[in-house]
Amino acid sequence: MKAAGLAAGFGIGAVASLMGVAGGELLIPTLVLLFGADVRLAGSLSLVVSLPTMLMGFARYSRDRSFAVLGRNKGFLLWMAAGSILGTFLGGLLLGIVPGSVLLPVLAAILLLSAVKVWRHG
């Protein structure tokens, strides 16, 4: 289990770094499918595992000035951040109410839709 976790973390970290993401879109399915974690537990674990990934990505992207684009999109960024904070608050309130049997198909639908959109965009 330790070796599998190390390998999964390495792969997710490498892909997340290349794509400039935190890795949650890869972590949650990995935790659910490979390690059998409940979707809510996988979400919580994803937050903890994503933090070092985000910090490393932030450091890397800061050094090569990749964040310059943020200044040009400040309005959108602020609205997105505000929505994210509100959504996180509401989601936290619903965490004990919405069952995993509802969350898992929702996650699957989001991932499928994301995969189709990314495939068509690339």
Side-chain angles (χ1 to χ4, degrees):
M1 184 105 152
K2 292 178 186 178
L6 180 65
F10 176 83
I12 291 168
V15 171
S17 180
L18 286 169
M19 295 173 59
V21 297
E25 58 286 329
L26 303 171
L27 279 167
I28 294 173
T30 299
L31 291 166
V32 170
L33 297 173
L34 293 182
F35 298 102
D38 175 76
V39 68
R40 290 174 290 195
L41 174 61
S44 298
L45 291 172
S46 172
L47 289 173
V48 174
V49 174
S50 292
L51 185 58
T53 307
M54 289 188 303
L55 292 173
M56 291 299 296
F58 186 81
R60 184 183 137 242
Y61 281 91
S62 292
R63 278 195 312 266
D64 70 2
R65 303 187 191 276
S66 293
F67 287 131
V69 68
L70 299 179
R72 294 188 300 270
N73 295 289
K74 192 183 298 183
F76 173 74
L77 176 66
L78 291 174
W79 281 107
M80 188 81 166
S84 180
I85 291 168
L86 291 172
T88 301
F89 178 76
L90 179 61
L93 293 175
L94 296 174
L95 185 60
I97 299 169
V98 179
S101 60
V102 171
L103 294 175
L104 202 53
V106 168
L107 174 63
I110 290 170
L111 291 172
L112 183 60
L113 181 61
S114 296
V116 169
K117 291 283 193 177
V118 168
W119 188 265
R120 288 184 178 168
H121 183 41

